[in-house]
Amino acid sequence: MSSEESDHVYKKIELTGTSSKSIEDAINSAIAKASETVRNMRWFEVVEVRGNIDGQAVQHWQVTLKVGFRLDG
């Protein structure tokens, strides 16, 4: 494999997804929306999970993630 094929530069962005269903749904929502404008996304890292409680139950999830994507060129 030549160095052109294996050397890449990546950039990280921070996203926050929300969901009333689950943490996983909040993550998928954030990545799906970002994929409308960001190309070459390769990985994500959850950096914060929060939510609201109403009474005795979780009502809403908020998940902040860092997403890495490969820069073109």
Side-chain angles (χ1 to χ4, degrees):
M1 179 181 290
S2 73
S3 64
E4 275 186 48
E5 293 172 325
S6 62
D7 294 341
H8 301 289
V9 174
Y10 294 86
K11 181 173 180 155
K12 288 194 288 187
I13 57 173
E14 190 170 274
L15 306 171
T16 301
T18 63
S19 171
S20 58
K21 295 178 186 175
S22 68
I23 293 170
E24 184 178 355
D25 195 55
I27 293 167
N28 285 326
S29 173
I31 291 173
K33 186 64 177 173
S35 72
E36 294 175 10
T37 56
V38 179
R39 295 186 316 251
N40 300 321
M41 289 189 292
R42 295 293 185 247
W43 54 266
F44 73 92
E45 169 188 2
V46 173
V47 295
E48 184 175 44
V49 177
R50 297 187 294 183
N52 355 10
I53 301 168
D54 187 9
Q56 297 177 352
V58 173
Q59 294 299 308
H60 211 83
W61 296 97
Q62 184 179 39
V63 182
T64 301
L65 31 137
K66 292 184 180 180
V67 175
F69 63 97
R70 193 183 74 235
L71 297 176
D72 290 335

Short mmCIF file of all heavy atoms in Angstrom, two decimals:
data_model
loop_
_atom_site.label_atom_id
_atom_site.label_comp_id
_atom_site.label_asym_id
_atom_site.label_seq_id
_atom_site.Cartn_x
_atom_site.Cartn_y
_atom_site.Cartn_z
N MET A 1 0.85 -1.18 0.00
CA MET A 1 0.00 0.00 0.00
C MET A 1 0.89 1.24 0.00
O MET A 1 1.80 1.36 0.80
CB MET A 1 -0.89 -0.03 1.26
CG MET A 1 -1.81 1.16 1.37
SD MET A 1 -2.84 1.14 2.86
CE MET A 1 -3.94 -0.19 2.50
N SER A 2 0.65 2.14 -0.90
CA SER A 2 1.47 3.36 -0.98
C SER A 2 1.05 4.33 0.12
O SER A 2 -0.03 4.24 0.68
CB SER A 2 1.31 4.02 -2.35
OG SER A 2 0.05 4.64 -2.46
N SER A 3 1.92 5.31 0.41
CA SER A 3 1.60 6.28 1.45
C SER A 3 0.40 7.13 1.07
O SER A 3 -0.31 7.63 1.93
CB SER A 3 2.80 7.16 1.78
OG SER A 3 3.16 7.94 0.65
N GLU A 4 0.13 7.32 -0.23
CA GLU A 4 -1.04 8.08 -0.66
C GLU A 4 -2.33 7.39 -0.25
O GLU A 4 -3.31 8.03 0.06
CB GLU A 4 -1.03 8.25 -2.18
CG GLU A 4 -0.22 9.42 -2.65
CD GLU A 4 -0.36 9.61 -4.15
OE1 GLU A 4 -1.50 9.61 -4.65
OE2 GLU A 4 0.67 9.76 -4.81
N GLU A 5 -2.34 6.06 -0.23
CA GLU A 5 -3.53 5.32 0.13
C GLU A 5 -3.76 5.26 1.64
O GLU A 5 -4.88 5.11 2.08
CB GLU A 5 -3.45 3.90 -0.43
CG GLU A 5 -3.48 3.87 -1.94
CD GLU A 5 -3.20 2.48 -2.47
OE1 GLU A 5 -2.38 1.76 -1.86
OE2 GLU A 5 -3.78 2.12 -3.49
N SER A 6 -2.71 5.36 2.44
CA SER A 6 -2.87 5.14 3.87
C SER A 6 -2.81 6.41 4.72
O SER A 6 -3.21 6.39 5.87
CB SER A 6 -1.81 4.15 4.37
OG SER A 6 -0.52 4.69 4.15
N ASP A 7 -2.29 7.52 4.21
CA ASP A 7 -2.17 8.74 5.00
C ASP A 7 -3.38 9.63 4.77
O ASP A 7 -3.70 9.97 3.63
CB ASP A 7 -0.90 9.51 4.62
CG ASP A 7 0.36 8.75 4.98
OD1 ASP A 7 0.28 7.83 5.81
OD2 ASP A 7 1.42 9.09 4.43
N HIS A 8 -4.05 10.00 5.85
CA HIS A 8 -5.24 10.85 5.77
C HIS A 8 -5.18 11.91 6.85
O HIS A 8 -4.47 11.76 7.85
CB HIS A 8 -6.52 10.04 5.95
CG HIS A 8 -6.69 8.95 4.95
ND1 HIS A 8 -6.99 9.17 3.63
CD2 HIS A 8 -6.59 7.60 5.08
CE1 HIS A 8 -7.08 8.03 2.99
NE2 HIS A 8 -6.83 7.05 3.84
N VAL A 9 -5.95 12.96 6.67
CA VAL A 9 -6.11 13.99 7.69
C VAL A 9 -7.58 13.99 8.09
O VAL A 9 -8.47 13.93 7.24
CB VAL A 9 -5.69 15.38 7.16
CG1 VAL A 9 -5.99 16.46 8.18
CG2 VAL A 9 -4.21 15.38 6.80
N TYR A 10 -7.82 14.05 9.39
CA TYR A 10 -9.17 14.02 9.93
C TYR A 10 -9.47 15.30 10.70
O TYR A 10 -8.57 15.94 11.22
CB TYR A 10 -9.35 12.82 10.87
CG TYR A 10 -9.25 11.51 10.15
CD1 TYR A 10 -8.01 10.90 9.94
CD2 TYR A 10 -10.38 10.87 9.66
CE1 TYR A 10 -7.91 9.69 9.27
CE2 TYR A 10 -10.30 9.68 8.99
CZ TYR A 10 -9.06 9.08 8.80
OH TYR A 10 -8.96 7.90 8.13
N LYS A 11 -10.75 15.63 10.77
CA LYS A 11 -11.20 16.76 11.55
C LYS A 11 -12.31 16.26 12.48
O LYS A 11 -13.05 15.35 12.12
CB LYS A 11 -11.75 17.86 10.64
CG LYS A 11 -12.23 19.08 11.40
CD LYS A 11 -12.60 20.21 10.47
CE LYS A 11 -13.06 21.38 11.34
NZ LYS A 11 -12.89 22.64 10.66
N LYS A 12 -12.41 16.87 13.67
CA LYS A 12 -13.47 16.50 14.62
C LYS A 12 -14.44 17.66 14.76
O LYS A 12 -14.04 18.81 14.82
CB LYS A 12 -12.89 16.19 16.00
CG LYS A 12 -12.15 14.90 16.08
CD LYS A 12 -11.90 14.48 17.51
CE LYS A 12 -10.87 15.34 18.19
NZ LYS A 12 -10.50 14.83 19.52
N ILE A 13 -15.72 17.32 14.82
CA ILE A 13 -16.75 18.29 15.13
C ILE A 13 -17.54 17.76 16.33
O ILE A 13 -17.50 16.57 16.63
CB ILE A 13 -17.70 18.54 13.94
CG1 ILE A 13 -18.35 17.25 13.46
CG2 ILE A 13 -16.97 19.24 12.81
CD1 ILE A 13 -19.42 17.43 12.40
N GLU A 14 -18.23 18.66 17.00
CA GLU A 14 -19.05 18.26 18.14
C GLU A 14 -20.52 18.43 17.78
O GLU A 14 -20.92 19.46 17.24
CB GLU A 14 -18.69 19.10 19.36
CG GLU A 14 -19.32 18.58 20.63
CD GLU A 14 -18.76 19.26 21.86
OE1 GLU A 14 -17.72 18.80 22.37
OE2 GLU A 14 -19.38 20.25 22.29
N LEU A 15 -21.30 17.41 18.07
CA LEU A 15 -22.73 17.41 17.79
C LEU A 15 -23.49 17.07 19.07
O LEU A 15 -22.96 16.36 19.93
CB LEU A 15 -23.08 16.34 16.75
CG LEU A 15 -22.35 16.36 15.42
CD1 LEU A 15 -22.69 15.10 14.63
CD2 LEU A 15 -22.73 17.60 14.64
N THR A 16 -24.72 17.52 19.17
CA THR A 16 -25.59 17.11 20.26
C THR A 16 -26.91 16.65 19.66
O THR A 16 -27.57 17.42 18.95
CB THR A 16 -25.83 18.25 21.26
OG1 THR A 16 -24.56 18.66 21.80
CG2 THR A 16 -26.72 17.80 22.41
N GLY A 17 -27.26 15.40 19.92
CA GLY A 17 -28.53 14.84 19.46
C GLY A 17 -29.47 14.67 20.63
O GLY A 17 -29.04 14.48 21.76
N THR A 18 -30.76 14.76 20.35
CA THR A 18 -31.77 14.58 21.39
C THR A 18 -32.80 13.55 20.97
O THR A 18 -33.02 13.33 19.78
CB THR A 18 -32.48 15.91 21.72
OG1 THR A 18 -33.19 16.34 20.57
CG2 THR A 18 -31.50 16.98 22.16
N SER A 19 -33.42 12.93 21.96
CA SER A 19 -34.46 11.95 21.69
C SER A 19 -35.29 11.72 22.94
O SER A 19 -34.77 11.72 24.05
CB SER A 19 -33.85 10.62 21.25
OG SER A 19 -34.84 9.61 21.17
N SER A 20 -36.57 11.48 22.74
CA SER A 20 -37.42 11.09 23.86
C SER A 20 -37.44 9.56 24.00
O SER A 20 -38.00 9.04 24.96
CB SER A 20 -38.85 11.61 23.65
OG SER A 20 -39.38 11.11 22.44
N LYS A 21 -36.79 8.84 23.06
CA LYS A 21 -36.81 7.38 23.08
C LYS A 21 -35.63 6.75 23.81
O LYS A 21 -35.79 5.92 24.68
CB LYS A 21 -36.85 6.84 21.65
CG LYS A 21 -38.10 7.19 20.88
CD LYS A 21 -38.02 6.67 19.47
CE LYS A 21 -39.21 7.15 18.65
NZ LYS A 21 -39.09 6.74 17.25
N SER A 22 -34.38 7.14 23.36
CA SER A 22 -33.20 6.46 23.91
C SER A 22 -31.92 7.22 23.59
O SER A 22 -31.91 8.11 22.73
CB SER A 22 -33.08 5.05 23.31
OG SER A 22 -32.78 5.12 21.93
N ILE A 23 -30.85 6.82 24.28
CA ILE A 23 -29.53 7.37 23.99
C ILE A 23 -29.12 7.02 22.57
O ILE A 23 -28.63 7.86 21.82
CB ILE A 23 -28.49 6.82 25.00
CG1 ILE A 23 -28.79 7.35 26.40
CG2 ILE A 23 -27.08 7.17 24.58
CD1 ILE A 23 -27.98 6.69 27.49
N GLU A 24 -29.35 5.79 22.18
CA GLU A 24 -28.98 5.35 20.83
C GLU A 24 -29.72 6.15 19.76
O GLU A 24 -29.14 6.54 18.75
CB GLU A 24 -29.28 3.86 20.66
CG GLU A 24 -28.85 3.31 19.33
CD GLU A 24 -29.10 1.81 19.20
OE1 GLU A 24 -29.54 1.17 20.17
OE2 GLU A 24 -28.85 1.28 18.10
N ASP A 25 -30.98 6.43 19.99
CA ASP A 25 -31.75 7.22 19.04
C ASP A 25 -31.22 8.65 18.94
O ASP A 25 -31.17 9.24 17.87
CB ASP A 25 -33.23 7.23 19.44
CG ASP A 25 -34.13 7.70 18.33
OD1 ASP A 25 -34.06 7.13 17.22
OD2 ASP A 25 -34.90 8.65 18.56
N ALA A 26 -30.79 9.22 20.07
CA ALA A 26 -30.21 10.56 20.06
C ALA A 26 -28.91 10.58 19.25
O ALA A 26 -28.66 11.52 18.48
CB ALA A 26 -29.95 11.03 21.48
N ILE A 27 -28.08 9.56 19.39
CA ILE A 27 -26.83 9.45 18.63
C ILE A 27 -27.13 9.32 17.14
O ILE A 27 -26.57 10.04 16.31
CB ILE A 27 -25.99 8.25 19.12
CG1 ILE A 27 -25.49 8.50 20.53
CG2 ILE A 27 -24.83 7.96 18.16
CD1 ILE A 27 -24.91 7.26 21.21
N ASN A 28 -28.03 8.40 16.80
CA ASN A 28 -28.37 8.18 15.39
C ASN A 28 -28.97 9.42 14.76
O ASN A 28 -28.70 9.73 13.59
CB ASN A 28 -29.31 6.99 15.25
CG ASN A 28 -28.60 5.67 15.43
OD1 ASN A 28 -27.45 5.53 15.06
ND2 ASN A 28 -29.28 4.72 16.03
N SER A 29 -29.77 10.16 15.51
CA SER A 29 -30.38 11.39 15.01
C SER A 29 -29.31 12.43 14.67
O SER A 29 -29.36 13.07 13.62
CB SER A 29 -31.35 11.94 16.06
OG SER A 29 -31.84 13.19 15.70
N ALA A 30 -28.35 12.61 15.57
CA ALA A 30 -27.27 13.59 15.34
C ALA A 30 -26.43 13.20 14.11
O ALA A 30 -26.12 14.05 13.27
CB ALA A 30 -26.39 13.70 16.57
N ILE A 31 -26.08 11.94 13.99
CA ILE A 31 -25.26 11.49 12.87
C ILE A 31 -26.04 11.58 11.56
O ILE A 31 -25.48 12.00 10.54
CB ILE A 31 -24.72 10.07 13.13
CG1 ILE A 31 -23.69 10.14 14.27
CG2 ILE A 31 -24.11 9.46 11.87
CD1 ILE A 31 -23.19 8.80 14.75
N ALA A 32 -27.30 11.22 11.57
CA ALA A 32 -28.11 11.30 10.34
C ALA A 32 -28.22 12.74 9.86
O ALA A 32 -28.08 13.01 8.67
CB ALA A 32 -29.50 10.71 10.59
N LYS A 33 -28.45 13.67 10.78
CA LYS A 33 -28.57 15.07 10.37
C LYS A 33 -27.24 15.60 9.84
O LYS A 33 -27.19 16.28 8.82
CB LYS A 33 -29.06 15.91 11.56
CG LYS A 33 -29.35 17.34 11.21
CD LYS A 33 -30.50 17.42 10.22
CE LYS A 33 -30.86 18.86 9.91
NZ LYS A 33 -31.86 18.96 8.84
N ALA A 34 -26.15 15.29 10.53
CA ALA A 34 -24.82 15.75 10.10
C ALA A 34 -24.46 15.17 8.73
O ALA A 34 -23.82 15.85 7.91
CB ALA A 34 -23.76 15.39 11.12
N SER A 35 -24.89 13.95 8.46
CA SER A 35 -24.53 13.31 7.19
C SER A 35 -25.17 14.01 5.98
O SER A 35 -24.74 13.77 4.85
CB SER A 35 -24.92 11.83 7.19
OG SER A 35 -26.33 11.68 7.12
N GLU A 36 -26.14 14.88 6.21
CA GLU A 36 -26.72 15.65 5.12
C GLU A 36 -25.73 16.67 4.54
O GLU A 36 -25.84 17.05 3.38
CB GLU A 36 -27.98 16.38 5.59
CG GLU A 36 -29.12 15.45 5.96
CD GLU A 36 -30.32 16.18 6.54
OE1 GLU A 36 -30.35 17.45 6.50
OE2 GLU A 36 -31.23 15.51 7.05
N THR A 37 -24.76 17.10 5.36
CA THR A 37 -23.80 18.11 4.89
C THR A 37 -22.34 17.72 5.10
O THR A 37 -21.46 18.35 4.51
CB THR A 37 -24.05 19.46 5.58
OG1 THR A 37 -23.98 19.28 7.00
CG2 THR A 37 -25.41 20.03 5.21
N VAL A 38 -22.05 16.73 5.93
CA VAL A 38 -20.67 16.34 6.22
C VAL A 38 -20.37 15.01 5.54
O VAL A 38 -21.09 14.03 5.75
CB VAL A 38 -20.44 16.22 7.74
CG1 VAL A 38 -19.00 15.78 8.04
CG2 VAL A 38 -20.75 17.52 8.46
N ARG A 39 -19.32 14.99 4.73
CA ARG A 39 -18.92 13.76 4.04
C ARG A 39 -17.82 13.04 4.81
O ARG A 39 -17.12 13.63 5.62
CB ARG A 39 -18.40 14.09 2.64
CG ARG A 39 -19.42 14.67 1.71
CD ARG A 39 -18.84 14.81 0.31
NE ARG A 39 -17.50 15.38 0.32
CZ ARG A 39 -17.20 16.60 -0.09
NH1 ARG A 39 -18.11 17.40 -0.56
NH2 ARG A 39 -15.95 17.03 -0.05
N ASN A 40 -17.65 11.79 4.52
CA ASN A 40 -16.53 10.98 5.00
C ASN A 40 -16.47 10.81 6.51
O ASN A 40 -15.38 10.67 7.08
CB ASN A 40 -15.19 11.55 4.49
CG ASN A 40 -15.11 11.59 2.99
OD1 ASN A 40 -15.57 10.68 2.32
ND2 ASN A 40 -14.55 12.67 2.46
N MET A 41 -17.62 10.82 7.19
CA MET A 41 -17.61 10.57 8.63
C MET A 41 -17.13 9.14 8.88
O MET A 41 -17.54 8.22 8.18
CB MET A 41 -18.99 10.79 9.24
CG MET A 41 -19.39 12.25 9.28
SD MET A 41 -20.90 12.56 10.23
CE MET A 41 -22.11 11.77 9.18
N ARG A 42 -16.24 8.98 9.87
CA ARG A 42 -15.63 7.67 10.11
C ARG A 42 -15.84 7.13 11.51
O ARG A 42 -15.83 5.93 11.71
CB ARG A 42 -14.12 7.74 9.83
CG ARG A 42 -13.78 8.02 8.39
CD ARG A 42 -14.21 6.84 7.53
NE ARG A 42 -13.81 7.01 6.16
CZ ARG A 42 -14.64 7.18 5.14
NH1 ARG A 42 -15.94 7.22 5.34
NH2 ARG A 42 -14.20 7.32 3.92
N TRP A 43 -15.96 7.97 12.53
CA TRP A 43 -16.08 7.47 13.90
C TRP A 43 -16.76 8.52 14.77
O TRP A 43 -16.89 9.67 14.38
CB TRP A 43 -14.71 7.11 14.48
CG TRP A 43 -13.70 8.22 14.40
CD1 TRP A 43 -12.78 8.41 13.41
CD2 TRP A 43 -13.53 9.31 15.31
NE1 TRP A 43 -12.05 9.54 13.66
CE2 TRP A 43 -12.49 10.12 14.82
CE3 TRP A 43 -14.15 9.67 16.48
CZ2 TRP A 43 -12.06 11.26 15.46
CZ3 TRP A 43 -13.72 10.82 17.13
CH2 TRP A 43 -12.69 11.59 16.62
N PHE A 44 -17.23 8.07 15.93
CA PHE A 44 -17.78 9.01 16.91
C PHE A 44 -17.38 8.58 18.31
O PHE A 44 -17.03 7.42 18.55
CB PHE A 44 -19.31 9.12 16.79
CG PHE A 44 -20.08 7.94 17.31
CD1 PHE A 44 -20.51 7.90 18.62
CD2 PHE A 44 -20.37 6.88 16.48
CE1 PHE A 44 -21.23 6.81 19.09
CE2 PHE A 44 -21.09 5.80 16.93
CZ PHE A 44 -21.51 5.76 18.25
N GLU A 45 -17.42 9.54 19.20
CA GLU A 45 -17.07 9.32 20.61
C GLU A 45 -18.11 10.07 21.45
O GLU A 45 -18.30 11.27 21.28
CB GLU A 45 -15.68 9.89 20.87
CG GLU A 45 -15.28 9.98 22.31
CD GLU A 45 -13.96 10.74 22.49
OE1 GLU A 45 -13.38 11.22 21.49
OE2 GLU A 45 -13.53 10.86 23.65
N VAL A 46 -18.80 9.37 22.34
CA VAL A 46 -19.77 10.01 23.22
C VAL A 46 -18.99 10.73 24.33
O VAL A 46 -18.16 10.12 25.00
CB VAL A 46 -20.75 8.99 23.83
CG1 VAL A 46 -21.64 9.64 24.87
CG2 VAL A 46 -21.59 8.35 22.72
N VAL A 47 -19.24 12.03 24.49
CA VAL A 47 -18.51 12.79 25.50
C VAL A 47 -19.41 13.23 26.66
O VAL A 47 -18.90 13.57 27.73
CB VAL A 47 -17.78 14.02 24.90
CG1 VAL A 47 -16.69 13.56 23.96
CG2 VAL A 47 -18.72 14.96 24.20
N GLU A 48 -20.73 13.19 26.46
CA GLU A 48 -21.63 13.59 27.55
C GLU A 48 -23.02 13.03 27.30
O GLU A 48 -23.48 13.00 26.17
CB GLU A 48 -21.71 15.11 27.62
CG GLU A 48 -22.54 15.65 28.76
CD GLU A 48 -22.48 17.17 28.85
OE1 GLU A 48 -22.57 17.85 27.80
OE2 GLU A 48 -22.34 17.67 29.97
N VAL A 49 -23.64 12.55 28.36
CA VAL A 49 -25.03 12.10 28.28
C VAL A 49 -25.80 12.82 29.38
O VAL A 49 -25.37 12.83 30.54
CB VAL A 49 -25.14 10.57 28.51
CG1 VAL A 49 -26.61 10.14 28.51
CG2 VAL A 49 -24.36 9.80 27.46
N ARG A 50 -26.90 13.46 28.97
CA ARG A 50 -27.76 14.17 29.93
C ARG A 50 -29.21 13.84 29.60
O ARG A 50 -29.51 13.31 28.55
CB ARG A 50 -27.56 15.68 29.84
CG ARG A 50 -26.18 16.13 30.20
CD ARG A 50 -26.07 17.62 30.26
NE ARG A 50 -26.28 18.18 28.93
CZ ARG A 50 -26.19 19.47 28.65
NH1 ARG A 50 -25.94 20.33 29.61
NH2 ARG A 50 -26.37 19.92 27.44
N GLY A 51 -30.08 14.22 30.48
CA GLY A 51 -31.50 14.03 30.21
C GLY A 51 -32.35 14.78 31.22
O GLY A 51 -31.86 15.29 32.21
N ASN A 52 -33.65 14.85 30.93
CA ASN A 52 -34.57 15.44 31.90
C ASN A 52 -35.43 14.37 32.51
O ASN A 52 -35.76 13.39 31.88
CB ASN A 52 -35.52 16.50 31.42
CG ASN A 52 -35.48 16.98 30.06
OD1 ASN A 52 -34.83 16.49 29.19
ND2 ASN A 52 -36.23 18.02 29.89
N ILE A 53 -35.81 14.65 33.74
CA ILE A 53 -36.66 13.76 34.51
C ILE A 53 -37.97 14.48 34.78
O ILE A 53 -37.97 15.65 35.17
CB ILE A 53 -36.00 13.38 35.85
CG1 ILE A 53 -34.65 12.72 35.59
CG2 ILE A 53 -36.91 12.50 36.68
CD1 ILE A 53 -33.79 12.59 36.83
N ASP A 54 -39.06 13.79 34.56
CA ASP A 54 -40.38 14.32 34.90
C ASP A 54 -41.03 13.31 35.82
O ASP A 54 -41.30 12.18 35.41
CB ASP A 54 -41.21 14.54 33.64
CG ASP A 54 -42.52 15.26 33.91
OD1 ASP A 54 -42.72 15.75 35.05
OD2 ASP A 54 -43.35 15.33 32.99
N GLY A 55 -41.24 13.72 37.05
CA GLY A 55 -41.76 12.76 38.03
C GLY A 55 -40.68 11.76 38.38
O GLY A 55 -39.63 12.13 38.88
N GLN A 56 -40.93 10.51 38.04
CA GLN A 56 -39.97 9.45 38.35
C GLN A 56 -39.41 8.78 37.10
O GLN A 56 -38.83 7.71 37.17
CB GLN A 56 -40.64 8.40 39.24
CG GLN A 56 -41.07 8.95 40.57
CD GLN A 56 -41.79 7.91 41.41
OE1 GLN A 56 -42.09 6.82 40.96
NE2 GLN A 56 -42.05 8.27 42.66
N ALA A 57 -39.56 9.44 35.94
CA ALA A 57 -39.12 8.80 34.70
C ALA A 57 -38.31 9.78 33.85
O ALA A 57 -38.53 10.98 33.86
CB ALA A 57 -40.33 8.32 33.91
N VAL A 58 -37.39 9.21 33.08
CA VAL A 58 -36.63 10.00 32.11
C VAL A 58 -37.58 10.37 30.97
O VAL A 58 -38.27 9.51 30.41
CB VAL A 58 -35.44 9.18 31.54
CG1 VAL A 58 -34.76 9.93 30.42
CG2 VAL A 58 -34.45 8.85 32.66
N GLN A 59 -37.63 11.66 30.65
CA GLN A 59 -38.50 12.13 29.59
C GLN A 59 -37.76 12.44 28.29
O GLN A 59 -38.35 12.39 27.22
CB GLN A 59 -39.25 13.40 30.04
CG GLN A 59 -40.22 13.14 31.17
CD GLN A 59 -41.31 12.16 30.77
OE1 GLN A 59 -41.97 12.33 29.75
NE2 GLN A 59 -41.47 11.11 31.56
N HIS A 60 -36.47 12.75 28.40
CA HIS A 60 -35.73 13.16 27.20
C HIS A 60 -34.24 12.92 27.41
O HIS A 60 -33.72 13.15 28.50
CB HIS A 60 -35.98 14.65 26.94
CG HIS A 60 -35.92 15.01 25.49
ND1 HIS A 60 -36.98 14.86 24.64
CD2 HIS A 60 -34.91 15.48 24.73
CE1 HIS A 60 -36.64 15.25 23.43
NE2 HIS A 60 -35.39 15.63 23.46
N TRP A 61 -33.57 12.45 26.35
CA TRP A 61 -32.13 12.22 26.36
C TRP A 61 -31.43 13.29 25.53
O TRP A 61 -31.95 13.70 24.49
CB TRP A 61 -31.80 10.85 25.76
CG TRP A 61 -32.35 9.72 26.54
CD1 TRP A 61 -33.51 9.04 26.29
CD2 TRP A 61 -31.78 9.12 27.69
NE1 TRP A 61 -33.69 8.06 27.23
CE2 TRP A 61 -32.63 8.08 28.10
CE3 TRP A 61 -30.61 9.36 28.42
CZ2 TRP A 61 -32.37 7.29 29.20
CZ3 TRP A 61 -30.35 8.56 29.51
CH2 TRP A 61 -31.22 7.55 29.90
N GLN A 62 -30.25 13.70 25.97
CA GLN A 62 -29.40 14.62 25.21
C GLN A 62 -27.99 14.05 25.23
O GLN A 62 -27.41 13.86 26.31
CB GLN A 62 -29.43 16.01 25.82
CG GLN A 62 -28.66 17.04 25.03
CD GLN A 62 -28.74 18.42 25.66
OE1 GLN A 62 -28.70 18.55 26.88
NE2 GLN A 62 -28.87 19.43 24.83
N VAL A 63 -27.44 13.75 24.06
CA VAL A 63 -26.13 13.11 23.95
C VAL A 63 -25.21 13.99 23.11
O VAL A 63 -25.53 14.33 21.98
CB VAL A 63 -26.25 11.70 23.32
CG1 VAL A 63 -24.88 11.04 23.25
CG2 VAL A 63 -27.22 10.84 24.11
N THR A 64 -24.05 14.34 23.68
CA THR A 64 -23.05 15.11 22.95
C THR A 64 -21.96 14.16 22.49
O THR A 64 -21.48 13.33 23.27
CB THR A 64 -22.47 16.23 23.83
OG1 THR A 64 -23.54 17.08 24.24
CG2 THR A 64 -21.43 17.05 23.09
N LEU A 65 -21.60 14.26 21.21
CA LEU A 65 -20.57 13.40 20.66
C LEU A 65 -19.60 14.18 19.80
O LEU A 65 -19.94 15.22 19.25
CB LEU A 65 -21.16 12.26 19.82
CG LEU A 65 -22.44 12.45 19.10
CD1 LEU A 65 -22.34 11.87 17.70
CD2 LEU A 65 -23.49 11.68 19.86
N LYS A 66 -18.40 13.66 19.71
CA LYS A 66 -17.41 14.16 18.77
C LYS A 66 -17.42 13.19 17.60
O LYS A 66 -17.41 11.99 17.78
CB LYS A 66 -16.03 14.24 19.40
CG LYS A 66 -15.94 15.30 20.47
CD LYS A 66 -14.55 15.42 21.02
CE LYS A 66 -14.53 16.51 22.09
NZ LYS A 66 -13.21 16.66 22.66
N VAL A 67 -17.44 13.76 16.40
CA VAL A 67 -17.46 12.95 15.19
C VAL A 67 -16.23 13.29 14.36
O VAL A 67 -15.94 14.46 14.14
CB VAL A 67 -18.75 13.23 14.37
CG1 VAL A 67 -18.71 12.48 13.05
CG2 VAL A 67 -19.99 12.86 15.17
N GLY A 68 -15.50 12.26 13.96
CA GLY A 68 -14.33 12.46 13.12
C GLY A 68 -14.65 12.16 11.67
O GLY A 68 -15.35 11.20 11.37
N PHE A 69 -14.17 13.02 10.79
CA PHE A 69 -14.36 12.79 9.36
C PHE A 69 -13.07 13.09 8.62
O PHE A 69 -12.27 13.91 9.03
CB PHE A 69 -15.54 13.60 8.79
CG PHE A 69 -15.40 15.10 8.89
CD1 PHE A 69 -14.93 15.83 7.81
CD2 PHE A 69 -15.75 15.76 10.04
CE1 PHE A 69 -14.82 17.21 7.88
CE2 PHE A 69 -15.65 17.13 10.13
CZ PHE A 69 -15.18 17.87 9.04
N ARG A 70 -12.88 12.35 7.52
CA ARG A 70 -11.67 12.49 6.72
C ARG A 70 -11.82 13.67 5.77
O ARG A 70 -12.83 13.84 5.12
CB ARG A 70 -11.43 11.22 5.91
CG ARG A 70 -10.03 11.16 5.29
CD ARG A 70 -9.83 9.92 4.44
NE ARG A 70 -10.56 10.11 3.20
CZ ARG A 70 -11.48 9.27 2.73
NH1 ARG A 70 -11.80 8.18 3.38
NH2 ARG A 70 -12.10 9.52 1.60
N LEU A 71 -10.79 14.51 5.74
CA LEU A 71 -10.78 15.64 4.82
C LEU A 71 -10.41 15.18 3.41
O LEU A 71 -9.57 14.29 3.24
CB LEU A 71 -9.79 16.70 5.29
CG LEU A 71 -10.10 17.34 6.64
CD1 LEU A 71 -8.97 18.30 7.04
CD2 LEU A 71 -11.42 18.08 6.61
N ASP A 72 -11.07 15.75 2.43
CA ASP A 72 -10.76 15.42 1.03
C ASP A 72 -9.41 16.00 0.65
O ASP A 72 -8.96 16.99 1.20
CB ASP A 72 -11.81 16.02 0.09
CG ASP A 72 -13.16 15.33 0.22
OD1 ASP A 72 -13.20 14.17 0.63
OD2 ASP A 72 -14.18 15.98 -0.11
N GLY A 73 -8.81 15.38 -0.34
CA GLY A 73 -7.62 15.97 -0.92
C GLY A 73 -6.40 15.32 -0.48
O GLY A 73 -5.34 15.41 -0.48
#
